[in-house]
Amino acid sequence: MENFESLYKIGEETVEQALKTSQINFGLFLQEMEQEFARLGFRTPRRGGVERILILRLDAVGDFILTSAAIRELRANYPSAFITLVVNRRVYPLAEFCPYVNEVIPFDTPFVSPIYNRNLLDIIKNSFEFARENFWSKRYDLSFTSPADATHIFMSYISGARERIGHSAEKNDWSGIFLNHPVSGDKNILHSCLIDLHLLEASGLKVNRKDVEIWFGNEDFYTAENLLKDFAPGKIKVAVGIGANFPERKYPVEKYLEAFKKIIDKGASLVILGGPAEVKDAKFLQENLPADSVKNIAELKLNWRVTAAVIAQTNLYIGNDTGTAHCAAALKIPVIVVNRNSKEMVEILKKGEYYNFFPYQTEAIVLLCERPLEGCEKFGNCYAGKPHCITQINPAEIVKAFDEMIYFKMFSRIKKIS
């Protein structure tokens, strides 16, 4: 087994020096790393071309689903390569059955802006330890990373990959320092999925398909099937997503209750999804709605594969802008999303988060706030750390969206695909 202690030592010395001086000498760091990578043969092309590929996608469930198309197309371009996919530990169950990679490795690390702080030093230290254990012995020919944040870009470099493809980060120079193939964005390409595919095309690769995918196994399907067995036969099954990673993305459960009472009266039944953080709110809904029309599975602590399999058996999604919405969209199930973003800012910019992460490849109604409330005006979107701007959306808007979606599905020829 090769000894890569010389590479690891550079990382240790960089962290030690930064702690003493409160700054990182990236010039010296890169000089030492490049010399050592070259000495160990990391910069020498293989005779057989690209044989090993690393894909980094360390953020949330929705982000991972939207990059599934790029993962598939990368495999299509390199059918015989050994591909490693690294994901956030929480996303791992959803990535585990990806048919386009040879291995999936979970890794957790905090996200930071590309400026010096203690968390950045933690990222450097953790990245070196992870690379020593998982990357260096494989000698990657190519790394592909979609997000342009410090964590992804730095890990791409530390992996030792000879060719490093990623987005050009306009607000910092990290991409130019650590990626040797940074790709600038196209202002006409706004959606996150299409931006990832553009990254491939701009690097000279072919893109044949643009649909996203989601993967779960037979066991997951049977588990989900048993959970919903004999539940509300003949009623419209609505997957309900009341959770979110950020508090400002959560629509108040009391307002959901008001909307759900009317939706149930119209012939719907609810399958309430969530994790430990949603147990209390899910129980509140369950206790205040007709028992025969509510299936509360939030307290079961289902992993993301089983959650996706449950959603696949429903007819509609209603909920927050979170991973469950993207699961539904990937399964071509219609979605109604209650969103913290403002109509005002969307109309002005015609881009940004609302467009980048809009539900993909399904019929969607996205309910937006009228305008940013006090304290959020300068952002255009809500960053209050609590349900704030999103509270402007009236429960009646959810009911109206439900009526519109059901009417559309009844009088269209589009069938649910699961």
Side-chain angles (χ1 to χ4, degrees), residues 145-188:
T145 180
S146 175
D149 62 81
T151 304
H152 284 84
I153 292 173
F154 188 78
M155 280 198 70
S156 177
Y157 181 78
I158 295 302
S159 73
R162 189 180 71 255
E163 306 296 333
R164 301 175 299 281
I165 298 172
H167 293 297
S168 175
E170 296 177 358
K171 295 181 180 179
N172 62 75
D173 58 357
W174 275 59
S175 54
I177 293 175
F178 294 115
L179 301 177
N180 52 359
H181 293 287
V183 176
S184 298
D186 183 331
K187 64 180 181 180
N188 297 312

Side-chain angles (χ1 to χ4, degrees), residues 42 46 145 158 301 305:
F42 282 80
R46 295 183 199 266
T145 180
I158 295 302
K301 299 179 180 178
R305 278 204 316 274

Side-chain angles (χ1 to χ4, degrees), residues 341-394:
N341 292 356
S342 69
K343 297 177 183 176
E344 186 177 279
M345 187 55 65
V346 167
E347 287 303 313
I348 292 171
L349 297 180
K350 292 293 185 184
K351 60 181 181 179
E353 183 178 343
Y354 172 74
Y355 280 83
N356 286 359
F357 301 102
F358 192 85
Y360 191 70
Q361 75 180 28
T362 193
E363 304 87 28
I365 297 175
V366 179
L367 303 176
L368 297 165
C369 309
E370 282 298 325
R371 62 188 59 83
L373 295 179
E374 184 177 358
C376 295
E377 304 96 327
K378 64 179 179 180
F379 302 113
N381 299 317
C382 188
Y383 294 96
K386 61 181 180 181
H388 184 232
C389 298
I390 200 170
T391 62
Q392 298 173 82
I393 297 172
N394 193 303

